[in-house]
Amino acid sequence: MCNKAVFFDRDGTLNVDKDYLYKIEDFEWTTGAPEAIKYVRSKGYKAIVITNQSGVARGMYTVDDVNRLHAYMNESLKAYDTQIDGFYFCPHHPKGSVPEFTTDCDCRKPKSGLILEAAADFNLSLAESIMFGDRERDVLCAQNVGVRGALFDPTDDLLRFVRQYV
Ligand SMILES: [Mg+2]
Ligand SMILES: [Zn+2]
């Protein structure tokens, strides 16, 4: 028996896009984002974040910083009695400054490595899953592996948007 997931892009979809966000004090949910997470889980979907974090490769922040922010997101979601089930991020960039993360990887969107990793971890049916993001590359990384993808306009309400599909 397979599970199904809603994959969410992070910056510009779940939270207000502030270039290379990593500080907790700068984190701000987009309108309807916590409610959208709660809603899709109530419909039987795992809520999974799929995000490019090339700031790691660029030396702007660390993997620990990313993990700390993600822990904060779930802490914040306790007030809504919900949570994100999994966080997957790509720390790489082909032109980074940190050698360890400077590579042309298979997980930076529009490549689909993160979705495939999550699918293996959660035993997901890709055909029953869906990805929401504010960039074309979010839609592409989904469609490349048979996941429906829908483009979110960050000025919209995420709960309202998600309810059109889920
Ligand atoms: Mg985005
Ligand atoms: Zn990567």
Side-chain angles (χ1 to χ4, degrees):
M1 181 68 181
C2 276
N3 297 306
K4 54 189 180 178
V6 170
F7 300 111
F8 290 102
D9 166 54
R10 201 192 78 183
D11 303 313
T13 302
L14 289 180
N15 55 271
V16 177
D17 195 358
K18 301 175 182 174
D19 286 346
Y20 301 106
L21 170 74
Y22 72 97
K23 290 180 183 165
I24 285 168
E25 58 265 36
D26 293 336
F27 182 88
E28 196 181 334
W29 293 107
T30 53
T31 304
E35 293 86 354
I37 292 162
K38 186 176 175 110
Y39 173 74
V40 302
R41 293 181 85 244
S42 79
K43 292 289 184 181
Y45 291 80
K46 305 288 182 190
I48 296 177
V49 168
I50 301 287
T51 178
N52 285 352
Q53 293 300 323
S54 68
V56 175
R58 298 176 204 269
M60 303 173 75
Y61 47 83
T62 66
V63 165
D64 282 351
D65 290 325
V66 177
N67 287 330
R68 201 173 297 122
L69 187 72
H70 292 171
Y72 169 77
M73 289 169 72
N74 263 345
E75 192 60 37
S76 162
L77 287 172
K78 285 182 180 170
Y80 299 86
D81 196 27
T82 193
Q83 65 175 65
I84 291 163
D85 296 288
F87 292 89
Y88 292 83
F89 66 93
C90 167
H92 309 113
H93 194 274
K95 296 193 176 81
S97 59
V98 181
E100 185 186 355
F101 300 109
T102 299
T103 171
D104 194 5
C105 65
D106 291 322
C107 56
R108 180 173 166 77
K109 297 178 286 187
K111 292 186 179 168
S112 309
L114 297 178
I115 285 184
L116 295 176
E117 192 183 341
D121 289 349
F122 286 89
N123 188 30
L124 298 175
S125 161
L126 293 177
E128 291 179 87
S129 298
I130 185 163
M131 167 96 197
F132 299 116
D134 68 318
R135 301 278 188 92
E136 195 59 36
R137 68 186 177 201
D138 299 316
V139 174
L140 288 174
C141 82
Q143 290 176 345
N144 286 342
V145 289
V147 174
R148 278 192 304 158
L151 197 59
F152 175 63
D153 171 354
T155 64
D156 198 353
D157 177 303
L158 188 58
L159 176 61
R160 191 206 71 81
F161 179 76
V162 162
R163 287 182 74 123
Q164 298 176 107
Y165 301 91
V166 175

